[in-house]
């Protein structure tokens, strides 16, 4: 592997200019004085207000705060402290919005006392339009969400770093600045990946007291950001279905999703801090491990081989919910699938669904016969409204067919000469063509060479990449589309059903991975609620990131069950009958079913990941659905509280997707 060339920062014009201002603007920052000394000897050497994180694409959900560099002795620490909401109930981020991030969302993204010795690189982004931002990549390869500098200051921030730590610029990318260890080629490779973000890291007790006073200053001195409340910024995100502004940080690294199922011991180390702050409550990892260590002392800290030898004498904590008995009390037996006669009984003379809740309940407990799925799935996915008539649905099909053809023609009309100058199109087209030829080829509908259905699968995905150009195509989408096309047997209807599904699951594929992180965090909290001994074991084993469940959530158990069973499961999930996050209770049910093996054999992350992957094709679907129903009923409102609002898959704000024409009141 070619060793990456490194250069000093002296050849960067930004830094040459900033050095002349260092003693003034950098040290002055936003505090109005050269530096702030704290009682314990720490010193704030840089402070910048209005540094903002964008958890979602909506302006009302942005979180602004203060970015700090604090020097203590020879060590430098970075913190980002979000502002507290104003006491008058009007958010400083969007005065025209009635919503603002909840307090727990703010604390989720807080960065407290991150040692710069743990940082591998910092990438600077300077878009032609919009704000400058940086992405901080840890030595582990994980990254924090982008930090947007609304009031400028990226140049001063990097120049301050150079004054206190060793920082060099990579020859491979002039905007990547490398810190600390430059000798490890594996770390050098990971620094360029900018893997999706860690939301926070463990608190550092040594600086907690010194930062408390700075936090107080934050709340009293914060700027209201009038420019951020401007109408242009607000209107850009006012509708859920409006096009999102281009954000370079959203482009998904092609290799990331493909490699998640192959995570190794290195991945365990790199992901172990994702949720640590949420569970450590300010203690160091070692202190928390000692407090929550349920296993016998002679097994604590043993190597994997030692754990296997002692597996026979390991005492597994009992299940607090007596899991094996729960379905006898709560979970109902699965019923036969919905048949044609029953389906007809749910419709009135004009084709409206009379009782949508009863229909969703019936499908939740029994699914639908395969010959009905073509109609039923359109309702479950939101492509059809429950109160639409036969005539309305027929008209809709014609309108959407015409609209689909127009979108499809956009990429079909691109000539070879144009394609040479359209890098994004070539990349997405190549990735789609590579993925579709290996998607469900064992299913008769897609098997064989030159299968026309595989070509249709490709065309739909290419058309979607033009319909939702911001998201485009990501690996895993072909897995979600395949069963839909298999059922619909119609290109246009398959496309619009896929669009409806991606309205719910699209955040799973965002570049910053916020959708996946929120679901994994919610899963962690549900396990803590429903099986605290298992939660404590996973904490001890550094598995609280729940990365071993990533594939389950990303593509909704698509590769865990046979093709026919996947369709049955998706029908259950799409009903949103008990919970729109029933898939998370499915995850808990599977983990609880195998808890004795996981805990008894003292599985570490690598062993657990291998074990979970090998469960594919061996999970009892009906039993797991019953178990998940029982867990959902037992969790009740407490379970709902574990899941942050907006966690995918949630129903779109506009449930009809704009498919049905609305009456125009203004004539």
């Amino acid at each position: 592997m070619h060793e990456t060339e490194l250069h000093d920062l002296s050849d960067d014009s930004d830094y040459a200019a900033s050095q002349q201002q260092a003693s003034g603007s950098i040290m002055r920052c936003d505090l109005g004085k050269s530096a702030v000394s704290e009682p314990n000897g720490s010193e704030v050497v840089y402070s910048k207000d209005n540094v903002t994180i964008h958890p979602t694409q909506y302006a009302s959900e942005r979180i602004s705060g203060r970015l700090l560099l604090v020097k203590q002795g020879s060590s430098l620490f970075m913190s980002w402290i979000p502002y507290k909401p104003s006491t008058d109930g009007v958010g400083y981020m969007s005065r025209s919005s009635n919503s603002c991030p909840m307090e727990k969302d703010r604390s989720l993204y807080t960065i407290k006392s991150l040692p710069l010795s743990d940082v591998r690189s910092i990438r600077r982004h300077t878009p032609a339009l919009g704000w400058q931002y940086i992405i901080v990549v840890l030595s582990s390869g994980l990254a924090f969400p982008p930090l947007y500098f609304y009031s400028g200051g990226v140049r001063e921030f990097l120049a301050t770093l150079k004054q206190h730590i060793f920082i060099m610029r990579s020859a491979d990318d002039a905007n990547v600045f490398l810190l600390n260890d430059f000798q490890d080629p594996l770390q050098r490779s990971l620094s360029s990946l900018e893997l999706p973000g860690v939301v926070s890291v463990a608190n550092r007790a040594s600086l907690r007291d010194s930062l408390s006073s700075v936090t107080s200053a934050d709340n009293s001195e914060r700027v209201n950001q009038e420019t951020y409340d401007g109408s242009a910024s607000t209107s850009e995100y006012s509708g859920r279905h409006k096009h999102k502004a281009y954000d370079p940080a959203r482009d998904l690294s092609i290799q990331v999703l493909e490699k998640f199922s192959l995570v190794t011991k290195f991945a365990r180390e790199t992901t172990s801090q994702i949720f640590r702050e949420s569970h450590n409550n300010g203690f160091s990892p070692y202190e928390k491990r000692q407090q929550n260590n349920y296993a016998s002392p002679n097994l604590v800290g043993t190597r994997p081989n030692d754990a296997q030898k002692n597996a026979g004498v390991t005492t597994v904590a009992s299940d607090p919910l007596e899991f094996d008995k729960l379905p006898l009390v709560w979970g109902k037996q699965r019923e036969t699938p919905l048949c044609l006669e029953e389906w007809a009984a749910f419709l009135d003379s004009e084709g409206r669904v009379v009782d949508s809740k009863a229909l969703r309940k019936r499908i939740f407990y029994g699914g639908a016969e395969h010959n009905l799925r073509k109609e039923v799935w359109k309702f479950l996915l939101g492509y059809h409204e429950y109160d639409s008539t036969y005539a309305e649905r027929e008209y809709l099909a014609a309108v959407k067919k015409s609209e689909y053809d127009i979108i499809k023609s956009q990429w079909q009309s691109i000539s070879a000469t144009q394609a040479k100058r359209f890098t994004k199109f070539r990349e997405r087209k190549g990735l789609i063509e590579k993925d579709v030829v290996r998607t469900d080829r064992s299913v008769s509908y897609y098997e064989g060479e030159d299968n026309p259905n595989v070509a249709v699968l490709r065309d739909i995905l290419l058309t979607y990449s033009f319909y939702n150009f911001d998201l485009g195509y990501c690996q895993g989408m072909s897995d979600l589309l395949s069963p839909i096309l298999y059922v619909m047997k119609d290109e246009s209807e398959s496309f619009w059903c896929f669009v409806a599904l991606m309205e719910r699951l699209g955040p799973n594929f965002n570049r910053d991975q916020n959708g996946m992180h929120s679901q994994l965090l919610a899963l962690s909290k549900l396990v803590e609620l429903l099986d605290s001994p298992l939660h404590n074991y996973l904490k001890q084993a550094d598995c609280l990131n729940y990365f071993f469940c990533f594939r389950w959530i990303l593509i909704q158990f698509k590769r865990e069950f046979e093709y026919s069973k996947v369709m049955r499961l998706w029908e259950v999930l799409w009903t949103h009958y008990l919970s729109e996050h029933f898939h998370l209770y499915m995850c808990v049910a599977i983990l609880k079913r195998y808890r004795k093996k996981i805990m008894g054999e003292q599985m570490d992350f690598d062993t657990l990941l291998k074990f979970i992957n090998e469960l594919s094709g061996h999970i009892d679907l009906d039993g797991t659905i019953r178990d998940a129903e029982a867990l959902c009923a037992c969790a009740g409102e407490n379970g709902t509280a574990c899941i942050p609002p907006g966690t995918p898959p949630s129903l779109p704000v506009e449930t009809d997707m704009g498919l049905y024409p609305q009456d125009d009141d203004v004539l």
Side-chain angles (χ1 to χ4, degrees):
M1 179 177 178
H2 178 66
E3 292 289 316
T4 305
E5 245 184 7
L6 302 174
H7 296 282
D8 202 343
L9 301 179
S10 57
D11 60 342
D12 190 318
S13 58
D14 281 348
Y15 291 90
S18 70
Q19 291 305 300
Q20 300 175 3
Q21 306 172 3
S23 60
S25 61
I26 298 173
M27 295 304 178
R28 182 180 69 255
C29 300
D30 299 304
L31 294 177
K33 47 188 175 180
S34 61
V36 177
S37 297
E38 300 298 330
N40 63 355
S42 61
E43 180 184 21
V44 178
V45 296
Y46 176 89
S47 175
K48 191 68 183 177
D49 278 306
N50 302 321
V51 178
T52 303
I53 284 177
H54 297 182
T56 70
Q57 68 268 36
Y58 303 111
S60 62
E61 297 180 9
R62 296 174 182 173
I63 305 175
S64 289
R66 173 172 290 174
L67 181 66
L68 301 167
L69 290 176
V70 180
K71 187 174 180 62
Q72 185 175 36
S74 60
S75 300
L76 189 67
F77 297 83
M78 186 186 83
S79 295
W80 179 80
I81 310 296
Y83 299 138
K84 287 186 178 180
S86 56
T87 56
D88 60 1
V90 180
Y92 59 89
M93 290 174 292
S94 180
R95 296 182 184 278
S96 63
S97 173
N98 294 325
S99 63
C100 61
M102 299 178 65
E103 186 62 33
K104 60 181 178 180
D105 294 330
R106 298 176 188 281
S107 61
L108 180 68
Y109 291 99
T110 299
I111 303 173
K112 294 183 179 179
S113 308
L114 169 68
L116 269 297
S117 59
D118 289 351
V119 175
R120 172 68 181 122
S121 66
I122 296 175
R123 174 179 284 274
R124 175 184 59 182
H125 293 262
T126 307
L129 296 174
W131 305 283
Q132 278 193 325
Y133 63 93
I134 63 172
I135 296 177
V136 178
V137 183
L138 300 179
S139 299
S140 62
L142 293 168
F144 287 94
L147 295 168
Y148 290 82
F149 287 68
Y150 283 3
S151 303
V154 172
R155 182 179 61 185
E156 290 81 1
F157 171 77
L158 292 170
T160 304
L161 289 180
K162 185 184 178 184
Q163 290 183 350
H164 297 281
I165 61 174
F166 185 65
I167 176 172
M168 302 181 76
R169 186 153 60 93
S170 171
D172 293 338
D173 189 334
N175 288 308
V176 173
F177 301 92
L178 305 176
L179 291 68
N180 306 307
D181 178 20
F182 306 114
Q183 304 305 316
D184 186 347
L186 178 58
Q187 296 292 342
R188 184 183 299 113
S189 299
L190 285 170
S191 70
S192 65
L193 286 179
E194 292 185 5
L195 295 178
V198 175
V199 293
S200 64
V201 295
N203 296 351
R204 301 289 174 165
S206 62
L207 288 183
R208 189 178 301 108
D209 294 337
S210 65
L211 284 173
S212 62
S213 61
V214 178
T215 305
S216 300
D218 254 336
N219 301 328
S220 61
E221 299 177 13
R222 61 178 170 82
V223 179
N224 282 332
Q225 265 293 41
E226 295 296 335
T227 57
Y228 182 82
D229 298 328
S231 58
S233 176
T234 303
S235 62
E236 180 181 359
Y237 295 92
S238 59
R240 184 177 181 88
H241 299 286
K242 293 184 180 179
H243 294 297
K244 292 170 275 192
Y246 172 68
D247 185 339
R250 287 179 56 84
D251 289 339
L252 180 65
S253 175
I254 292 175
Q255 291 83 7
V256 172
L257 297 182
E258 187 175 43
K259 301 303 181 185
F260 277 139
S261 61
L262 304 176
V263 181
T264 62
K265 183 176 180 63
F266 177 75
R268 175 184 63 80
E269 296 168 352
T270 63
T271 58
S272 63
Q273 296 192 34
I274 289 182
F275 302 117
R276 189 170 292 164
E277 182 182 275
S278 299
H279 300 283
N280 278 3
N281 298 324
F283 292 95
S284 69
Y286 174 80
E287 292 169 336
K288 292 299 293 182
R289 184 172 298 181
Q290 295 300 313
Q291 287 189 355
N292 295 284
N293 186 9
Y294 76 93
S296 56
N298 62 328
L299 289 178
V300 177
T302 56
R303 296 185 300 273
N305 290 339
D306 297 332
Q308 292 177 3
K309 294 177 182 178
N310 293 316
V313 298
T314 300
T315 301
V316 177
S318 61
D319 190 334
L321 289 179
E322 296 188 45
F323 182 64
D324 291 333
K325 299 179 182 179
L326 272 178
L328 300 177
V329 179
W330 298 97
K332 296 182 180 179
Q333 290 288 349
R334 303 295 297 161
E335 300 175 5
T336 57
L338 177 75
C339 64
L340 182 60
E341 291 76 16
E342 286 182 282
W343 169 242
F346 276 105
L347 305 176
D348 66 14
S349 59
E350 294 185 335
R352 300 182 185 87
V353 175
V354 178
D355 189 342
S356 61
K357 184 175 181 180
L359 174 62
R360 289 187 294 111
K361 179 179 180 180
R362 177 66 181 86
I363 295 173
F364 178 86
Y365 285 109
E369 291 183 349
H370 186 70
N371 60 340
L372 285 178
R373 284 177 173 148
K374 182 177 174 64
E375 292 301 318
V376 172
W377 280 20
K378 297 173 189 176
F379 288 95
L380 295 179
L381 287 169
Y383 175 62
H384 283 162
E385 291 185 350
Y386 286 104
D387 61 354
S388 62
T389 64
Y390 292 126
E392 289 173 336
R393 296 197 286 271
E394 184 177 355
Y395 172 74
L396 175 69
V399 171
K400 302 310 287 184
K401 174 65 168 62
S402 176
E403 186 175 345
Y404 173 75
D405 290 340
I406 292 173
I407 302 172
K408 183 178 179 180
S409 67
Q410 293 176 2
W411 64 264
Q412 286 182 320
S413 63
I414 297 176
S415 66
T417 303
Q418 287 177 301
K420 291 180 180 179
R421 298 175 176 86
F422 198 166
T423 303
K424 184 65 69 176
F425 171 69
R426 295 198 313 271
E427 290 175 348
R428 289 178 174 175
K429 184 173 183 289
L431 181 58
I432 290 171
E433 290 176 343
K434 183 174 70 172
D435 281 356
V436 295
V437 297
R438 57 189 184 189
T439 299
D440 297 326
R441 298 309 296 273
S442 61
V443 178
S444 59
Y445 189 73
Y446 296 108
E447 68 182 0
E449 296 296 327
D450 300 321
N451 189 316
N453 298 320
V454 176
V456 174
L457 195 69
R458 181 207 63 176
D459 289 355
I460 294 175
L461 292 171
L462 265 173
T463 305
Y464 181 78
S465 73
F466 272 70
Y467 173 83
N468 187 348
F469 201 83
D470 285 339
L471 184 59
Y473 175 78
C474 307
Q475 289 176 329
M477 289 184 181
S478 60
D479 280 287
L480 297 176
L481 173 60
S482 170
I484 293 176
L485 178 58
Y486 175 80
V487 167
M488 297 298 162
K489 305 288 195 299
D490 179 272
E491 185 172 344
S492 173
E493 291 187 337
S494 297
F495 171 81
W496 291 112
C497 285
F498 180 68
V499 166
L501 179 62
M502 292 305 295
E503 286 295 313
R504 306 178 187 185
L505 299 183
N508 284 9
F509 301 94
N510 282 348
R511 169 62 180 86
D512 58 14
Q513 291 292 295
N514 277 331
M516 288 301 301
H517 282 319
S518 63
Q519 290 173 88
L520 292 171
L521 178 59
L523 175 59
S524 174
K525 292 181 178 296
L526 285 175
V527 173
E528 183 177 16
L529 173 69
L530 296 167
D531 194 340
S532 56
L534 177 59
H535 169 83
N536 289 338
Y537 171 76
L538 294 175
K539 178 186 294 186
Q540 178 200 5
D542 268 347
C543 295
L544 277 186
N545 52 36
Y546 284 82
F547 230 57
F548 47 86
C549 298
F550 194 97
R551 187 176 71 186
W552 292 354
I553 295 174
L554 180 71
I555 53 176
Q556 305 286 282
F557 301 95
K558 169 69 182 334
R559 298 182 185 175
E560 315 313 316
F561 299 99
E562 299 172 5
Y563 205 71
S564 60
K565 292 183 178 180
V566 167
M567 292 187 286
R568 286 169 50 199
L569 172 60
W570 284 6
E571 290 168 347
V572 170
L573 300 180
W574 294 345
T575 63
H576 287 188
Y577 173 62
L578 292 181
S579 169
E580 63 183 20
H581 301 102
F582 193 73
H583 65 297
L584 298 180
Y585 290 97
M586 289 281 295
C587 294
V588 179
I590 297 172
L591 292 175
K592 287 177 71 66
R593 180 60 63 190
Y594 295 97
R595 68 188 300 277
K596 290 183 179 179
K597 184 175 182 64
I598 293 171
M599 298 165 67
E601 295 184 9
Q602 295 282 289
M603 292 185 183
D604 60 8
F605 183 88
D606 297 334
T607 308
L608 180 56
L609 179 66
K610 181 175 183 293
F611 172 71
I612 292 296
N613 285 341
E614 290 175 350
L615 285 179
S616 177
H618 301 285
I619 303 173
D620 175 15
L621 177 59
D622 289 344
T624 302
I625 293 175
R626 290 185 62 206
D627 294 343
E629 179 193 355
L631 292 170
C632 186
C634 288
E637 294 182 356
N638 292 329
T640 303
C642 291
I643 305 173
T647 299
S650 55
L651 286 169
V653 175
E654 299 176 18
T655 54
D656 66 354
M657 299 164 44
L659 301 179
Y660 292 87
Q662 303 294 321
D663 294 333
D664 192 348
D665 295 328
V666 182
L667 298 176

